[in-house]
Amino acid sequence: MADRPELSARKATVLHAVVEAYVATGEPVGSETIADRAGLGVSSATIRNEMSSLEEQGYLSHPHTSAGRIPTDAGYRHYVDALPASSRLKDAQRRQIAAHFAEAILDLEEVLKGSVHLLSRLTQYAGLAVPPGLSDEHLVRLEVIDMGPTLLVLAVGQHGRVDKQIVDRPEHIDAKAVADAERRLNRVRGSSYVDAQVSLLQMAATETPGVHDVLLVAADVLRMATEGERAGHVLIGGVANLADDAQAWRRDTLRRLFETLEREQDMLQVLQDIAPADDVRVTIGDEHPTTGEWGASIVAAPFKAGDATVGTIGIVGPTRMDYLAAMTAVRAVADRLTEASGDAER
């Protein structure tokens, strides 16, 4: 995006008033509205001149069917950059977040699924999350649970990921074979998923048939966890909220957005491109080629385990977005996910 000259205090006030009025109404904003809202103590004619100047500088645009103006992506960016670093949640939002995490279970992926829908309810946009990947994930728990006619293999990663599989128990696998296999599994705790899988296959090659088969089942659970969609995927919720706000979109851009949301790996690539390193990051319209095609903005934040970033949580919605509310909600949920990830690691 081309560099633009610094705005005077009055121009900045006018621009921010246009953004807030347009977000609130969805209608192009006229100078009279800004004269009433901005409290600058100047005439509508002066405001109109400032809005014309802002249009020339690329911060506002002028729909040909209206006398009012609407913000451009650059206008939204100036507005977002001037927002306070943090803001308080409304009491009702704080209660919803607290209730969600009070009920959170060990499996971080399930917590994330709920968090995506929680964010969509809080913001009325679509929620997005990228769960922790497995490239650096280590096992903190791997066990086989004897359930009589079936066996349950349970793998838990250091960041709270849970993978499990129930298999029919062949007759030749007796209680002793399960117990012996369980002792072998203890050897791979602390290893990465990939290294643990290799170790289990090597151990199985020298074991008796019963233990051999149990170890192969455990290795298969790790294999399925590290390949295909589970190895890198996106959780999405509340997409219907975008259709409910259809007036904020052109039909063709909304269609392109829905098509990308259906292609998980494409959506994953977008989120990896814009992944924030720290705190909340806002990507507006043409600041990324894909969000430019959608006429959309993404507000995203990392969540961590210790000092390591393990995933991303955020929302996608129209550029005509309540950015302060969205950023506040995303930051709050990301902070609670960081707490949950740390708890899982301990």
Side-chain angles (χ1 to χ4, degrees):
M1 188 175 293
D3 291 336
R4 292 179 172 82
E6 283 292 318
L7 296 183
S8 67
R10 186 163 72 187
K11 279 188 172 63
T13 300
V14 170
L15 173 59
H16 296 179
V18 172
V19 171
E20 290 174 355
Y22 184 62
V23 167
T25 67
E27 300 293 335
V29 182
S31 57
E32 295 83 1
T33 299
I34 300 307
D36 292 338
R37 290 176 66 101
L40 288 170
V42 296
S43 67
S44 294
T46 300
I47 299 291
R48 191 156 47 249
N49 289 336
E50 296 286 31
M51 292 173 72
S52 295
S53 179
L54 287 165
E55 183 177 354
E56 291 173 2
Q57 292 176 267
Y59 292 103
L60 299 177
S61 63
H62 193 166
H64 69 279
T65 58
S66 170
R69 290 174 173 82
I70 64 175
T72 63
D73 291 349
Y76 286 122
R77 169 52 60 193
H78 193 285
Y79 176 81
V80 167
D81 288 347
L83 289 172
S86 62
S87 180
R88 287 178 57 83
L89 290 165
K90 296 177 181 177
D91 288 342
Q93 292 177 315
R94 191 162 54 250
R95 286 193 295 269
Q96 286 185 64
I97 293 173
H100 170 68
F101 283 94
E103 296 175 0
I105 58 176
L106 176 63
D107 187 344
L108 184 59
E109 178 123 350
E110 293 301 318
V111 176
L112 270 177
K113 290 177 182 177
S115 299
V116 162
H117 289 284
L118 171 66
L119 266 181
S120 73
R121 293 195 301 273
L122 293 173
T123 64
Q124 295 303 300
Y125 305 124
L128 306 167
V130 179
L134 286 177
S135 58
D136 298 316
E137 183 101 2
H138 288 71
L139 287 162
V140 296
R141 183 179 175 190
L142 180 63
E143 60 185 283
V144 177
I145 300 170
D146 192 338
M147 302 176 64
T150 60
L151 298 173
L152 170 64
V153 181
L154 178 68
V156 180
Q158 70 187 113
H159 303 315
R161 177 177 182 137
V162 177
D163 294 279
K164 52 186 178 290
Q165 181 176 329
I166 296 175
V167 297
D168 292 332
R169 176 178 174 173
E171 292 182 2
H172 68 279
I173 299 180
D174 57 19
K176 182 178 183 303
V178 174
D180 288 346
E182 181 72 17
R183 285 191 289 273
R184 308 298 190 276
L185 297 181
N186 289 334
R187 300 176 188 175
V188 301
R189 291 177 183 172
S191 302
S192 71
Y193 275 57
V194 173
D195 289 345
Q197 180 187 346
V198 172
S199 296
L200 291 174
L201 293 174
Q202 291 172 340
M203 282 190 280
T206 61
E207 293 293 342
T208 59
V211 176
H212 169 275
D213 290 352
V214 175
L215 295 178
L216 288 185
V217 170
D220 197 48
V221 170
L222 301 182
R223 177 189 61 79
M224 290 188 293
T226 53
E227 68 180 18
E229 291 185 356
R230 287 225 71 192
H233 63 294
V234 181
L235 303 174
I236 302 172
V239 175
N241 289 336
L242 303 180
D244 289 344
D245 196 20
Q247 66 170 350
W249 309 83
R250 295 196 308 271
R251 181 174 298 179
D252 58 333
T253 57
L254 187 60
R255 176 181 55 78
R256 283 196 291 269
L257 171 56
F258 281 174
E259 288 174 350
T260 306
L261 291 174
E262 291 174 357
R263 298 193 300 272
E264 187 174 32
Q265 292 306 304
D266 289 352
M267 194 67 225
L268 178 63
Q269 185 61 58
V270 174
L271 291 173
Q272 288 173 339
D273 288 348
I274 67 171
D278 196 29
D279 200 26
V280 174
R281 179 177 178 181
V282 180
T283 301
I284 301 170
D286 287 334
E287 291 178 354
H288 185 277
T290 303
T291 51
E293 286 185 5
W294 301 338
S297 293
I298 293 177
V299 179
F303 58 93
K304 302 185 176 187
D307 294 329
T309 296
V310 295
T312 303
I313 187 81
I315 58 95
V316 58
T319 53
R320 183 177 70 80
M321 176 187 293
D322 186 340
Y323 287 98
L324 181 58
M327 293 166 66
T328 301
V330 169
R331 180 181 289 111
V333 173
D335 287 346
R336 295 302 294 266
L337 285 170
T338 293
E339 294 175 11
S341 298
D343 291 343
E345 193 165 34
R346 289 192 291 272

CSV table of all heavy atoms in Angstrom, one decimal, residues 258-278:
chain,number,residue,atom,x,y,z
A,258,PHE,N,-17.1,-17.8,0.6
A,258,PHE,CA,-17.7,-19.1,0.9
A,258,PHE,C,-17.0,-20.2,0.3
A,258,PHE,O,-16.7,-21.3,0.9
A,258,PHE,CB,-19.2,-19.1,0.6
A,258,PHE,CG,-20.1,-18.4,1.5
A,258,PHE,CD1,-21.4,-18.3,1.3
A,258,PHE,CD2,-19.6,-17.9,2.7
A,258,PHE,CE1,-22.3,-17.6,2.2
A,258,PHE,CE2,-20.4,-17.2,3.6
A,258,PHE,CZ,-21.7,-17.1,3.3
A,259,GLU,N,-16.6,-20.0,-1.0
A,259,GLU,CA,-15.9,-21.1,-1.7
A,259,GLU,C,-14.5,-21.4,-1.1
A,259,GLU,O,-14.1,-22.5,-0.9
A,259,GLU,CB,-15.6,-20.7,-3.2
A,259,GLU,CG,-16.9,-20.7,-4.0
A,259,GLU,CD,-16.7,-20.2,-5.4
A,259,GLU,OE1,-15.6,-19.6,-5.7
A,259,GLU,OE2,-17.6,-20.3,-6.3
A,260,THR,N,-13.8,-20.3,-0.6
A,260,THR,CA,-12.5,-20.5,0.1
A,260,THR,C,-12.7,-21.2,1.4
A,260,THR,O,-11.9,-22.0,1.8
A,260,THR,CB,-11.8,-19.2,0.2
A,260,THR,OG1,-11.7,-18.5,-1.1
A,260,THR,CG2,-10.4,-19.4,0.8
A,261,LEU,N,-13.7,-20.8,2.1
A,261,LEU,CA,-14.0,-21.4,3.4
A,261,LEU,C,-14.2,-22.9,3.3
A,261,LEU,O,-13.9,-23.7,4.2
A,261,LEU,CB,-15.2,-20.7,4.1
A,261,LEU,CG,-15.0,-19.3,4.6
A,261,LEU,CD1,-16.3,-18.7,5.1
A,261,LEU,CD2,-13.9,-19.2,5.7
A,262,GLU,N,-14.8,-23.3,2.2
A,262,GLU,CA,-15.0,-24.7,1.9
A,262,GLU,C,-13.7,-25.5,1.5
A,262,GLU,O,-13.7,-26.7,1.6
A,262,GLU,CB,-16.1,-24.9,0.8
A,262,GLU,CG,-17.5,-24.5,1.2
A,262,GLU,CD,-18.4,-24.5,0.1
A,262,GLU,OE1,-18.0,-24.8,-1.1
A,262,GLU,OE2,-19.6,-24.3,0.3
A,263,ARG,N,-12.7,-24.7,1.1
A,263,ARG,CA,-11.4,-25.4,0.7
A,263,ARG,C,-10.5,-25.2,1.9
A,263,ARG,O,-9.8,-24.1,2.0
A,263,ARG,CB,-10.9,-24.8,-0.6
A,263,ARG,CG,-11.8,-25.0,-1.8
A,263,ARG,CD,-11.0,-24.7,-3.1
A,263,ARG,NE,-10.6,-23.3,-3.1
A,263,ARG,CZ,-11.3,-22.3,-3.6
A,263,ARG,NH1,-12.6,-22.5,-4.0
A,263,ARG,NH2,-10.9,-21.0,-3.6
A,264,GLU,N,-10.4,-26.1,2.7
A,264,GLU,CA,-9.7,-26.0,4.0
A,264,GLU,C,-8.2,-25.6,3.8
A,264,GLU,O,-7.7,-24.7,4.5
A,264,GLU,CB,-9.8,-27.2,4.9
A,264,GLU,CG,-9.3,-27.1,6.2
A,264,GLU,CD,-9.6,-28.3,7.1
A,264,GLU,OE1,-9.6,-29.4,6.6
A,264,GLU,OE2,-9.7,-28.1,8.3
A,265,GLN,N,-7.5,-26.3,2.9
A,265,GLN,CA,-6.1,-26.0,2.7
A,265,GLN,C,-5.9,-24.6,2.2
A,265,GLN,O,-4.9,-24.0,2.5
A,265,GLN,CB,-5.5,-27.1,1.8
A,265,GLN,CG,-5.5,-28.4,2.4
A,265,GLN,CD,-4.8,-28.5,3.8
A,265,GLN,OE1,-3.7,-28.1,4.0
A,265,GLN,NE2,-5.5,-28.9,4.8
A,266,ASP,N,-6.8,-24.1,1.4
A,266,ASP,CA,-6.6,-22.7,0.9
A,266,ASP,C,-6.8,-21.7,2.1
A,266,ASP,O,-6.1,-20.7,2.2
A,266,ASP,CB,-7.7,-22.4,-0.2
A,266,ASP,CG,-7.4,-23.1,-1.5
A,266,ASP,OD1,-6.3,-23.7,-1.6
A,266,ASP,OD2,-8.3,-23.1,-2.4
A,267,MET,N,-7.8,-22.0,2.9
A,267,MET,CA,-8.0,-21.2,4.1
A,267,MET,C,-6.8,-21.2,5.1
A,267,MET,O,-6.4,-20.2,5.6
A,267,MET,CB,-9.3,-21.6,4.8
A,267,MET,CG,-9.8,-20.6,5.8
A,267,MET,SD,-10.4,-19.1,5.1
A,267,MET,CE,-9.6,-17.9,6.2
A,268,LEU,N,-6.3,-22.4,5.2
A,268,LEU,CA,-5.1,-22.6,6.1
A,268,LEU,C,-3.9,-21.8,5.5
A,268,LEU,O,-3.2,-21.1,6.3
A,268,LEU,CB,-4.7,-24.1,6.1
A,268,LEU,CG,-3.5,-24.4,6.9
A,268,LEU,CD1,-3.7,-24.1,8.4
A,268,LEU,CD2,-3.1,-25.9,6.8
A,269,GLN,N,-3.8,-21.7,4.2
A,269,GLN,CA,-2.7,-20.9,3.7
A,269,GLN,C,-2.8,-19.5,3.9
A,269,GLN,O,-1.9,-18.8,4.3
A,269,GLN,CB,-2.6,-21.2,2.1
A,269,GLN,CG,-1.4,-20.5,1.5
A,269,GLN,CD,-0.1,-21.0,2.0
A,269,GLN,OE1,0.2,-22.2,1.9
A,269,GLN,NE2,0.7,-20.1,2.5
A,270,VAL,N,-4.1,-19.0,3.8
A,270,VAL,CA,-4.3,-17.5,4.1
A,270,VAL,C,-3.9,-17.2,5.6
A,270,VAL,O,-3.3,-16.3,5.9
A,270,VAL,CB,-5.8,-17.2,3.9
A,270,VAL,CG1,-6.1,-15.8,4.4
A,270,VAL,CG2,-6.2,-17.3,2.4
A,271,LEU,N,-4.4,-18.1,6.5
A,271,LEU,CA,-4.1,-17.8,7.9
A,271,LEU,C,-2.6,-18.0,8.2
A,271,LEU,O,-2.1,-17.3,9.1
A,271,LEU,CB,-5.0,-18.8,8.8
A,271,LEU,CG,-6.5,-18.5,8.7
A,271,LEU,CD1,-7.2,-19.6,9.5
A,271,LEU,CD2,-6.8,-17.1,9.3
A,272,GLN,N,-1.9,-18.9,7.6
A,272,GLN,CA,-0.5,-19.0,7.8
A,272,GLN,C,0.2,-17.8,7.2
A,272,GLN,O,1.2,-17.3,7.8
A,272,GLN,CB,0.0,-20.3,7.1
A,272,GLN,CG,-0.4,-21.5,7.8
A,272,GLN,CD,0.0,-22.8,7.0
A,272,GLN,OE1,0.2,-22.8,5.8
A,272,GLN,NE2,0.1,-23.9,7.8
A,273,ASP,N,-0.3,-17.2,6.1
A,273,ASP,CA,0.3,-16.0,5.6
A,273,ASP,C,0.2,-14.8,6.5
A,273,ASP,O,1.2,-14.0,6.6
A,273,ASP,CB,-0.4,-15.6,4.2
A,273,ASP,CG,0.0,-16.5,3.1
A,273,ASP,OD1,0.9,-17.3,3.2
A,273,ASP,OD2,-0.7,-16.5,2.1
A,274,ILE,N,-0.9,-14.7,7.2
A,274,ILE,CA,-1.1,-13.5,8.0
A,274,ILE,C,-0.9,-13.8,9.5
A,274,ILE,O,-1.2,-12.9,10.3
A,274,ILE,CB,-2.5,-12.9,7.8
A,274,ILE,CG1,-3.6,-13.9,8.3
A,274,ILE,CG2,-2.7,-12.6,6.3
A,274,ILE,CD1,-5.0,-13.3,8.3
A,275,ALA,N,-0.5,-15.0,9.9
A,275,ALA,CA,-0.4,-15.4,11.3
A,275,ALA,C,0.3,-14.4,12.1
A,275,ALA,O,1.5,-14.0,11.8
A,275,ALA,CB,0.3,-16.8,11.4
A,276,PRO,N,-0.3,-13.9,13.2
A,276,PRO,CA,0.4,-12.9,14.0
A,276,PRO,C,1.5,-13.5,14.9
A,276,PRO,O,1.3,-14.6,15.4
A,276,PRO,CB,-0.8,-12.3,14.9
A,276,PRO,CG,-1.8,-13.5,14.9
A,276,PRO,CD,-1.6,-14.2,13.6
A,277,ALA,N,2.6,-12.8,15.1
A,277,ALA,CA,3.6,-13.3,15.9
A,277,ALA,C,3.3,-13.0,17.4
A,277,ALA,O,3.7,-13.8,18.3
A,277,ALA,CB,4.9,-12.7,15.5
A,278,ASP,N,2.6,-11.9,17.6
A,278,ASP,CA,2.3,-11.5,19.0
A,278,ASP,C,1.1,-10.6,19.0
A,278,ASP,O,1.0,-9.7,18.1
A,278,ASP,CB,3.6,-10.8,19.6
A,278,ASP,CG,3.5,-10.7,21.1
A,278,ASP,OD1,2.9,-11.6,21.7
A,278,ASP,OD2,4.1,-9.8,21.7
